[in-house]
Amino acid sequence: MKNIVAGNWKSNKLIDEAQQLFNDIQSIIRNVEKTEVIIAPPLPYLGQLAALSNSKLSIGAQQTSAFGMGAFTGEVTSEMLKSVGVTWVIIGHSERREGFGETNEVVRKKVRSALNNGLKVILCCGENLSDRQSNDHFEWVGNQIRDGLSGVSAEEMNDVVIAYEPIWAIGTGQTASSAQAQEMHAHIRGIVKGLFDETVGNHCRVLYGGSCKPDNAQELFSQPDVNGGLIGGASLQADSFAAIVSASEMQH
Ligand code: PEP
């Protein structure tokens, strides 16, 4: 089972910069063997970059629509993403949940739409600081996982990856300790085992996200239940992203 390192570029980069960054990353990571590398650029560049993707570097979207084709002005559907060569989609990122009203129910619909249309899913979960301080973080994340995966079959879990991203660690420079990450990842894996079975739980890759950088990636990725990372800020420069990919390559 390969690790995954995925770069979420969020709303950054104009097209020329995006193309340059993609080219730089593609050339630096061309020898990866143990890591699946994914980049999630802004939506307008998906088709152009997906046309250049290969077995070493795939393209993901940062979100998808909960609806199918039709009268939904401004929405971009999973069918459309698939048709331009996108293979992955990030669903339920905390910035979408907090800033754009994505409830667990909306997340569940988006997961369904993605899987129905042959996209692989990175399902994000994570608690805010007050949930952690009140010791509600395990329950909060558990509910996000149970709701997000509701209706997903054991077979479909082959196309689902979970990203644990504590909100207090995203873009703050304050990373979860490797012990905090491991503890929550083990909890998430336990929930997946409970929903499906041991095998599905053991095969489900759980990524860590939240101020993951070249200097902490190796320590995080060395935890038994951490199978790679979802990277925000450090994915915006080829060198730092490639260093995180190298940290993943050094595992096993
Ligand atoms: C993210 O938003 O998915 C993320 C992990 O961001 P950062 O790495 O910048 O904390």
Side-chain angles (χ1 to χ4, degrees):
M1 189 171 65
K2 284 186 178 179
N3 273 355
I4 292 180
V5 174
N8 174 10
W9 291 359
K10 309 189 182 182
S11 295
N12 290 295
K13 306 287 178 191
L14 298 176
I15 182 62
D16 290 350
E17 300 164 327
Q19 183 66 66
Q20 186 64 52
L21 179 55
F22 177 90
N23 294 347
D24 291 347
I25 290 172
Q26 198 166 42
S27 67
I28 304 179
I29 57 111
R30 64 184 180 281
N31 293 325
V32 287
E33 278 170 4
K34 299 178 195 158
T35 311
E36 273 186 76
V37 185
I38 304 164
I39 281 172
L43 181 113
Y45 319 146
L46 289 173
Q48 175 172 328
L49 298 182
L52 301 169
S53 62
N54 57 27
S55 62
K56 303 278 187 193
L57 181 59
S58 13
I59 293 292
Q62 296 173 18
Q63 71 130 340
T64 186
S65 173
F67 307 105
M69 308 281 244
F72 304 105
T73 303
E75 286 290 276
V76 174
T77 69
S78 299
E79 293 97 315
M80 294 173 195
L81 295 173
K82 181 77 180 168
S83 76
V84 297
V86 169
T87 45
W88 288 87
V89 60
I90 298 169
I91 297 182
H93 191 283
S94 60
E95 286 157 14
R96 303 253 9 128
R97 291 179 188 263
E98 293 203 316
F100 300 91
E102 287 194 9
T103 59
N104 284 348
E105 175 64 8
V106 171
V107 167
R108 187 190 63 71
K109 286 186 180 154
K110 291 188 172 196
V111 169
R112 190 67 269 145
S113 142
L115 293 174
N116 283 351
N117 289 288
L119 292 173
K120 298 185 204 181
V121 171
I122 299 176
L123 171 62
C124 300
C125 60
E127 79 286 355
N128 63 27
L129 193 54
S130 66
D131 287 322
R132 179 162 279 268
Q133 284 167 339
S134 59
N135 213 25
D136 291 328
H137 49 303
F138 290 116
E139 192 185 343
W140 178 265
V141 168
N143 287 338
Q144 288 181 320
I145 299 298
R146 276 185 282 271
D147 287 355
L149 294 180
S150 159
V152 173
S153 71
E155 202 188 329
E156 286 172 329
M157 282 302 289
N158 289 322
D159 291 332
V160 176
V161 168
I162 294 171
Y164 169 57
E165 302 203 298
I167 295 171
W168 46 273
I170 293 182
T172 60
Q174 193 194 337
T175 319
S177 68
S178 51
Q180 286 172 321
Q182 168 55 28
E183 181 184 44
M184 183 59 88
H185 283 228
H187 175 67
I188 292 169
R189 197 177 299 290
I191 289 171
V192 175
K193 285 180 183 173
L195 287 173
F196 300 96
D197 59 32
E198 278 288 304
T199 312
V200 172
N202 286 332
H203 283 102
C204 180
R205 287 170 291 182
V206 186
L207 315 184
Y208 170 79
S211 298
C212 182
K213 309 272 183 224
D215 61 358
N216 57 29
Q218 208 175 333
E219 164 76 12
L220 287 160
F221 297 169
S222 68
Q223 301 305 305
D225 288 300
V226 178
N227 310 113
L230 178 54
I231 318 299
S235 72
L236 293 173
Q237 281 174 351
D239 290 357
S240 51
F241 187 64
I244 294 172
V245 173
S246 297
S248 161
E249 287 287 282
M250 284 193 264
Q251 303 305 313
H252 305 300

